[in-house]
Amino acid sequence: MSDSIVITATALALAEQPAPSVPAGGKTASGAFSILRLPEEPADRRHTQLSSRLSRLIGELASRAGLLPADLAGPTTGLVSGSRYGCSLVADMHRRLRELGPRGIDAVGFAQATHNFPVSACAIDYGIQGPGIALVSSHAAGMEALTCGRDWLLEGRCDRVIVAAFEDLEGPAAAHVELLAAPGAPPVHEAMALVLLERGSTARARRATVLAEIAGTAMMRPGAETGDLRAVAQRAFGHLPASMGILLAAPESASPPETAGGAPMLVDCLAVGGLLALIRALDRPGPGDWLVGALDPRTGGIAAGLRCPPNACSEVAA
């Protein structure tokens, strides 16, 4: 009999303060587009801004899960990240090489200019020796990372996985987001979200609080509509729940299916949206089934079926 896969902690950094020119509705009066950014992390020569934030949130995630940083060391912990645009330093380094040649870069900056650097740097910080990878793909990349981590656990490659999603909206990434934005579109929020997955047996052995069990995951086709969600839920849960909440992140152009009544509204934070939907669902008190995920208008998306036990509620970082 296969082990269950459970969520034992979450952490979130989300840029939520709109610019002064943006009214409560989130759109500028002139129709201008904006990006809300996270505050800078303290300078650290070993890290980029992105890897420094990830390292800090991993520490918070471990604390919320009842783990010491040393508990993450060794081959029993894996680390996977998902992003739409990856690390802005990669594009910046390519630009410097093109414009200035090799003499225009420094050795440290060159070594940090990989999409996998945040994962690798944090693995070094915490002594994580399990599987590690960075996925850079679509608006559903955060959910792709969740699926990857779940697969590692089902295959017995490790006992717990830190799943992270982030957006680093500097340079070409910011320009591309603005280029694609519809007139009067609400701002995009820079964000980083973490979810700790564990094998059910591991969580029970250390008497961890279980926030939810992941019943399963299911692919969503591009342009999915509300009517398609019965089939998606059937695949994610293995059956169609009698009642469930629905919370799916999607760009405005994707016409996301309607969410459950009273569910917290989601902001646009690109690939982080799927994990934000998961965290917002866990914020709802009481037991229940939730279908959460993210949908990309061109490539489709991934949904996960969550079973939330009684009296479980996540805590997230501001």
Side-chain angles (χ1 to χ4, degrees):
M1 181 176 175
S2 62
D3 206 347
S4 60
I5 307 301
V6 300
I7 298 169
T8 54
T10 67
L12 173 66
L14 177 65
E16 295 186 283
Q17 297 300 319
S21 61
V22 181
K27 297 185 179 181
T28 58
S30 65
F33 175 76
S34 63
I35 295 173
L36 307 187
R37 300 185 185 280
L38 289 167
E40 290 190 359
E41 298 289 323
D44 186 334
R45 181 67 172 173
R46 299 171 305 151
H47 283 287
T48 64
Q49 279 287 307
L50 199 59
S51 65
S52 181
R53 180 174 294 120
L54 180 58
S55 183
R56 175 176 61 82
L57 288 182
I58 287 175
E60 294 182 11
L61 187 76
S63 177
R64 292 197 174 101
L67 296 167
L68 296 173
D71 294 328
L72 302 179
T76 58
T77 301
L79 177 56
V80 56
S81 72
S83 178
R84 171 69 177 88
Y85 288 99
C87 304
S88 62
L89 186 58
V90 176
D92 183 56
M93 192 59 60
H94 287 174
R95 178 188 61 78
R96 291 187 196 180
L97 282 170
R98 184 176 61 252
E99 295 177 356
L100 304 172
R103 295 183 182 276
I105 62 175
D106 64 273
V108 173
F110 183 77
Q112 292 174 335
T114 70
H115 294 308
N116 208 69
F117 180 79
V119 168
S120 300
C122 291
I124 293 171
D125 275 357
Y126 290 93
I128 296 171
Q129 298 175 6
I133 193 171
L135 308 177
V136 180
S137 59
S138 71
H139 284 81
M143 292 302 296
E144 292 171 16
L146 185 81
T147 302
C148 179
R150 178 174 177 267
D151 287 346
W152 287 346
L153 295 174
L154 291 174
E155 294 165 2
R157 297 185 62 187
C158 49
D159 292 335
R160 65 177 61 93
V161 178
I162 299 166
V163 179
F166 63 79
E167 290 301 346
D168 181 17
L169 298 179
E170 296 288 347
H176 192 247
V177 169
E178 185 168 2
L179 179 67
L180 297 179
V188 166
H189 298 239
E190 201 171 49
M192 179 178 286
L194 276 66
V195 174
L196 184 63
L197 302 183
E198 296 193 62
R199 293 162 60 92
S201 58
T202 302
R204 289 191 297 272
R206 65 182 191 85
R207 299 181 179 180
T209 298
V210 172
L211 304 180
E213 177 186 348
I214 299 183
T217 60
M219 300 292 294
M220 293 186 290
R221 65 176 180 81
E225 298 177 354
T226 303
D228 301 317
L229 295 184
R230 290 174 61 88
V232 174
Q234 176 80 42
R235 296 194 300 273
F237 285 97
H239 66 278
L240 187 63
S243 63
M244 66 177 175
I246 301 172
L247 204 52
L248 300 177
E252 274 195 307
S253 59
S255 300
E258 63 187 45
T259 60
M265 293 299 293
L266 294 175
V267 298
D268 187 359
C269 50
L270 303 177
V272 187
L275 296 193
L276 177 63
L278 183 153
I279 290 171
R280 292 292 184 246
L282 295 181
D283 284 342
R284 305 288 288 175
D289 292 331
W290 280 88
L291 188 71
V292 300
L295 180 66
D296 188 284
R298 295 173 180 82
T299 62
I302 298 176
L306 301 184
R307 296 195 185 105
C308 300
N311 303 320
C313 183
S314 69
E315 296 180 15
V316 298

